[in-house]
Amino acid sequence: MVQVCLNGRRTAADGAAVPMSPRDLARSAAEAVAAGATSVHVHPKTPCGHDSLSPRVLAPALEAIRARVPVPVGVTTGAWAEPDPSARLTRVRSWSVLPDFASVNWHEPGAEEVAGHLLSVGVDVEAGIWSGTGGARRFAVSPLGPRVLRVLAEVTDPDPATAEASARELLAELGSAHGRPVLLHGEEGGTWPVLRLAGRLGLATRIGLEDTLLLPDGRRAVSNARLVAEARAGYGADACAGGGNSGAGQGS
């Protein structure tokens, strides 16, 4: 499984390749799926380019993407889009068009309430467990743990020299992860080392302009599709070299 993360918290300042509008998100998603992405993660944006949990922002993005791709589409519920836990839950409860899944960062206040509501209305949950936070400990004792779709193990170490070690430490903290599949990914300079580790371990992974703007050779990525193509080539090669089971960790 290679998920594409289309845009993340990036803005127009990060370059024209980063899709922002529903139309551009849909186009980028279609290209990425054609390149081999098996699910889509997106941050719906206001016209000003800010992440939003508003149903008026979420619905057009989901509808545009779904019109172009047949794979599951998920969204963020990150606290940066709505810092107040109560207001964040209210926003999520107001969604009229529901995603197939949503990521919930377990270290953020109010995570359990948001995840519980999503599960109650039939939306799958990716449990976002960030390195360097208390997310893994909280998730280990969460009664919702066995019910999530998968664990999104997010390595926040951007240093290519240390990101793999940070990833292994995070996986050790997660332990059995309630028996749920694990999707392992890095960010910025740590993106490609962590993706190659996921390939060796046979874990699901993700790639996209949210995580990195650069190809493995350091050149600027012109699209999410190009990143997906590079990821699939590198992931498959490393999985074969390491003897990993590329089917492990798939959550759908």
Side-chain angles (χ1 to χ4, degrees):
M1 173 183 171
V2 177
Q3 181 182 93
V4 62
C5 47
L6 295 177
N7 56 357
R9 296 169 68 181
R10 300 196 190 274
T11 69
D14 292 299
V18 180
M20 307 290 283
S21 69
R23 182 181 66 179
D24 287 345
L25 289 168
R27 172 190 50 77
S28 187
E31 292 171 353
V33 170
T38 54
S39 70
V40 175
H41 171 75
V42 62
H43 291 209
K45 304 279 188 180
T46 67
C48 296
H50 300 300
D51 284 13
S52 176
L53 305 182
S54 166
R56 293 192 299 271
V57 176
L58 188 92
L62 286 176
E63 290 168 346
I65 295 169
R66 283 175 168 155
R68 297 286 303 273
V69 303
V71 302
V73 182
V75 300
T76 184
T77 63
W80 56 87
E82 178 49 74
D84 180 75
S86 177
R88 190 182 329 132
L89 180 59
T90 298
R91 283 288 199 187
V92 173
R93 283 175 170 167
S94 72
W95 290 351
S96 54
V97 177
L98 298 178
D100 297 296
F101 62 91
S103 61
V104 179
N105 300 318
W106 234 257
H107 66 281
E108 294 176 347
E112 297 260 352
E113 290 78 9
V114 170
H117 168 72
L118 290 167
L119 291 169
S120 74
V121 296
V123 176
D124 285 326
V125 170
E126 284 184 327
I129 310 299
W130 293 20
S131 62
T133 71
R137 293 190 299 274
R138 295 179 184 179
F139 184 71
V141 297
S142 173
L144 299 179
R147 299 174 57 194
V148 304
L149 175 66
R150 57 181 158 255
V151 172
L152 192 64
E154 307 201 34
V155 181
T156 59
D157 181 354
D159 188 338
T162 57
E164 180 178 328
S166 296
R168 291 185 181 277
E169 182 178 347
L170 176 58
L171 293 173
E173 289 179 25
L174 281 168
S176 66
H178 291 287
R180 304 315 301 143
V182 173
L183 187 159
L184 176 67
H185 77 98
E187 63 180 38
E188 304 303 350
T191 299
W192 295 105
V194 173
L195 184 141
R196 288 190 286 268
L197 176 63
R200 293 195 299 273
L201 297 178
L203 297 175
T205 192
R206 82 175 197 185
I207 192 68
L209 293 166
E210 172 174 352
D211 290 344
T212 183
L213 299 173
L214 304 178
L215 298 170
D217 62 7
R219 288 179 296 156
R220 187 88 171 191
V222 297
S223 67
N224 279 302
R226 182 61 188 277
L227 287 169
V228 170
E230 292 282 350
R232 285 181 58 85
Y235 175 94
D238 282 354
C240 291
N245 174 12
S246 63
Q250 295 193 19
S252 59

